[in-house]
Structures are given as structure tokens and as C-alpha cells.
DNA sequence: ATAATTAACTTACTTTATATAAGTATAATA
DNA sequence: TATTATACTTATATAAAGTAAGTTAATTAT
């Protein structure tokens, strides 16, 4: 006999933020908009390839937006949308948990 | 010039709970101890193989414990430790976010 | 003027993780 | 005796991630 299944929205949320690197990228962007290289510098173990891929996914999911400034040379900034910013309480709880229970 | 890197504990926390299925398994166990099959029934898209692997990882990480009851037939229950239970606020915030922003 | 450097990627290829399907041991039930 | 159930394991295929090198456009250094 089968019990109830998990709420599809909850599952879908995990499909996005439960991927490798995603949480860290969001964490970095919570401190303000950043350029590609600025994100890389904070998370040096992540490859360019992965950062590009995750940024595209997060943009597609409406969590961040990619802003192009037509300067010379062009400047590209990644900034959280309202939907992305709303993830802050999750990140704060993660931080608390990590400090209390890790290592 | 490189900025500050991310807190290692925070990163380590994501290595555990940011893996596929992990969050859902924890969510299920927050409602009480469960047998292998009970978890499967709530998350039917996950294979036996993945559930076995994740349960072992979570046990190794001290997030849950595997309790064997010497009945006939043997009954095995998975239950969250204090460390695992402490993840509840994260899951609650996830749920809130998912309900507000998904779909 | 040419060479080297930087940002923000892309492409090709390898390795690891996950999915799919089937099999196993032990016991209960029909 | 045959079938079903729990809690796995094993084998193999496919998808995701890692590694390394290359690209484009502009900038600074020689």
C-alpha cells in the first residue's frame, strides 16, 4: 500500500537548488550582483564550464538575471531576481546548521 | 585579485544535502522513522540503488541511523539523529519558498 | 605595431554519478 | 510448493560533471 507522495513543488525546488554548485552560486549572489569572474574567485574549485551551465539554468529558472552593460569592454553582471532573493532564509538556515553541526 | 572564499563548513554541508534525493529523503524522515520500503513509496521515482546509496551516505554523515529490530522477519528502520533533525528549519523554509515561487 | 593579458565563454574529451534492469537471501503467506 | 515481500546487490547503459584547451573582443605592455 502506497502512502502520499511528496509535494511536486517541493520536489521541483530540489531539482533546481539541490544541484551541485547552485547553492553556492546563490549564496555568493546574495551579497550583491557579481561578474562571472567574481563568482569564480569565490568558488575556485568550480570550473568555468560548470559556472556557465549553472548560470544559464538559474536564469532559465527565473532565479537570476544576466545584465549586459554596453561599456568598452562589455560588462556582464549576474543579479538575483525577487524569486532568487527569496532563497535567503534557506541559505541562512543552512549556514546556521553548518556552523553548529559540521566537523 | 581574489576575494574571500566560501566558509568550508557551508560548502561541506552542500556536499551532503545538495546531492540528488538527499533532501527528499530527509524530508520524509522528518515525519518519523521509516522502513526502506516506506521511503520508496513516498519517492517512487527514486531507484532502490539510489536509496541504498543515499541511506549509507547519510548514515556515514551522522544524519540518520539504521536501526535493526531482531524480529521475524527482521525489521530495519531509518531514523534521523539530532544532527539530522536540526535540518528541519531548512526544509521548512524550502517548503515555503516552493509554495510561493514554484510554477 | 606586435605580443601578452583579461573576461566570458565554448568545444572536445574523460571520468564519475545516476538510471535501468535484473538478481539474491530470508522469511511469510496462499 | 509457488508466490510475494523486504532490503538489498550486481551489471550495464546513459547522463552529468570534471579537465584541459581554444575562442573572441577589447586593453595594456613592449
Amino acid at each position: 500500500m502506497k502512502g502520499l507522495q511528496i509535494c511536486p513543488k517541493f520536489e521541483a525546488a530540489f531539482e533546481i537548488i539541490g544541484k551541485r554548485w547552485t547553492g553556492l552560486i546563490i549564496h555568493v549572489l546574495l551579497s550583491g550582483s557579481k561578474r562571472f569572474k567574481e563568482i569564480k574567485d569565490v568558488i575556485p574549485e568550480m570550473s568555468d564550464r560548470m559556472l556557465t551551465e549553472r548560470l544559464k539554468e538559474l536564469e532559465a529558472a527565473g532565479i537570476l538575471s544576466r545584465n549586459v552593460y554596453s561599456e568598452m569592454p562589455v560588462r556582464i553582471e549576474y543579479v538575483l531576481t525577487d524569486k532568487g532573493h527569496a532563497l535567503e532564509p534557506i541559505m541562512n538556515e543552512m549556514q546556521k546548521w553548518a556552523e553548529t553541526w559540521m566537523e
Side-chain angles (χ1 to χ4, degrees), chain A:
Chain A
M1 210 218 271
K2 304 230 164 178
L4 298 168
Q5 283 174 232
I6 289 175
C7 164
K9 289 184 182 179
F10 188 73
E11 247 181 291
F14 263 108
E15 293 280 318
I16 303 168
I17 84 129
K19 286 187 103 167
R20 185 147 208 219
W21 306 119
T22 301
L24 300 182
I25 294 167
I26 290 162
H27 172 76
V28 171
L29 291 178
L30 277 167
S31 67
S33 69
K34 297 273 176 299
R35 304 181 66 168
F36 190 92
K37 192 182 183 302
E38 290 176 307
I39 302 170
K40 269 182 63 176
D41 287 347
V42 186
I43 317 168
E45 329 83 273
M46 177 178 48
S47 67
D48 286 19
R49 194 189 164 291
M50 276 296 108
L51 180 52
T52 304
E53 202 168 300
R54 287 296 176 274
L55 289 171
K56 277 183 193 161
E57 288 167 6
L58 290 170
E59 197 190 359
I63 285 168
L64 57 80
S65 67
R66 182 180 185 272
N67 297 338
V68 182
Y69 297 94
S70 303
E71 299 169 0
M72 289 300 188
V74 71
R75 182 165 55 94
I76 294 160
E77 293 215 326
Y78 295 92
V79 59
L80 293 176
T81 59
D82 289 348
K83 185 176 175 179
H85 236 98
L87 292 163
E88 192 161 22
I90 300 170
M91 294 298 150
N92 289 342
E93 292 296 339
M94 277 285 297
Q95 190 107 47
K96 279 196 249 172
W97 183 84
E99 270 154 29
T100 311
W101 295 97
M102 290 310 287
E103 217 166 15

